[in-house]
Amino acid sequence: KQEVTQIPAALSVPEGENLVLNCSFTDSAIYNLQWFRQDPGKGLTSLLLIQSSQREQTSGRLNASLDKSSGRSTLYIAASQPGDSATYLCAVRDTDKLIFGTGTRLQVFP
Amino acid sequence: EAGVTQSPTHLIKTRGQQATLRCSPISGHTSVYWYQQALGLGLQFLLWYDEGEERNRGNFPPRFSGRQFPNYSSELNVNALELEDSALYLCASTLWERGADTQYFGPGTRLTVL
């Protein structure tokens, strides 16, 4: 049974810092891995999707990597801003559904 | 392009009642997924509909059911509501392409059971 874990559970940093959020999964047989952002009480915003054949994806200040063999993905956020404060979720796609991690709650203070 | 929409935004029911939640996918998307986000339990897969058929369901009791209409919109029904059904219910749509798709999420319906 696929299990997805995210470390750390919470993170508080000053503005401007570069951050690394970690995601690990137990079964490497995935179709893709997706990173989402969720603001309090809101739905999910897709940030990056990495196909199983890819190693990384970049969008603006965000970079996500995928190492299927070790069951790990990292989300790198460069030059963090207060507007980046949210919960970040990773999710792996098996044949027909997403399996979500536990999330990392990020707070970036000015 | 309009995103995934869900209604209502909030829903308050009492134990034992039935709740109906609605989802309209992005135009052109044929698959709709439902997820439950209960406090302390994270996001869990509930149901998947594609081309009008239920394709898979998560580990939830039969009280949770739904359907997909010919226009690909979907309805989630929860019967005999229990207090632990209080959660944010999220709908996502996609154009299913052998797992190569991105799931786009709606804003959610907050269900409170008193």
Side-chain angles (χ1 to χ4, degrees), chain B residues 3-71:
Chain B
V4 178
T5 59
Q6 292 186 245
S7 64
T9 303
H10 294 92
L11 192 56
I12 300 175
K13 295 285 186 178
T14 56
R15 203 168 50 178
Q17 285 188 314
Q18 180 199 37
T20 298
L21 290 64
R22 296 179 178 84
C23 172
S24 292
I26 290 172
S27 176
H29 286 185
T30 59
S31 274
V32 170
Y33 293 79
W34 287 95
Y35 294 88
Q36 182 197 64
Q37 189 174 33
L39 196 63
L41 292 179
L43 264 158
Q44 298 186 70
F45 167 70
L46 250 173
L47 288 161
W48 170 35
Y49 292 95
D50 183 64
E51 298 283 0
E53 302 277 339
E54 181 182 302
R55 302 295 185 181
N56 197 11
R57 64 181 294 128
N59 189 25
F60 283 84
R63 302 187 293 108
F64 290 83
S65 65
R67 54 181 171 166
Q68 187 177 34
F69 299 99
N71 66 354

Side-chain angles (χ1 to χ4, degrees), chain B residues 88-109:
Chain B
L88 181 67
Y89 289 84
L90 294 169
C91 165
S93 80
T94 186
L95 183 61
W96 197 82
E97 293 175 341
R98 295 187 174 273
D101 57 302
T102 297
Q103 293 194 12
Y104 296 90
F105 282 77
T109 292

Side-chain angles (χ1 to χ4, degrees), chain A:
Chain A
K1 179 189 169 189
Q2 179 75 266
E3 293 183 3
V4 184
T5 306
Q6 291 184 245
I7 295 174
L11 189 59
S12 182
V13 300
E15 182 177 7
E17 280 205 5
N18 299 323
L19 309 171
V20 175
L21 308 183
N22 297 291
C23 172
S24 61
F25 48 95
T26 55
D27 187 346
S28 62
I30 63 171
Y31 279 89
N32 60 45
L33 184 144
Q34 206 165 347
W35 282 93
F36 293 91
R37 168 188 172 134
Q38 185 176 31
D39 293 287
K42 306 291 186 184
L44 306 182
T45 300
S46 179
L47 298 173
L48 290 164
L49 181 145
I50 313 175
Q51 300 295 350
S52 62
S53 58
Q54 296 175 323
R55 294 297 296 246
E56 67 176 334
Q57 281 288 333
T58 298
S59 176
R61 294 182 295 109
L62 305 179
N63 175 276
S65 66
L66 174 64
D67 183 343
K68 263 183 48 173
S69 60
S70 66
R72 290 188 293 185
S73 176
T74 60
L75 178 66
Y76 177 81
I77 304 176
S80 59
Q81 303 170 357
D84 294 331
S85 298
T87 295
Y88 290 80
L89 294 157
C90 71
V92 299
R93 174 68 182 264
D94 69 5
T95 52
D96 55 14
K97 62 184 180 293
L98 291 176
I99 300 170
F100 283 86
T102 45
T104 294
R105 189 179 305 117
L106 172 66
Q107 183 183 12
V108 181
F109 54 91

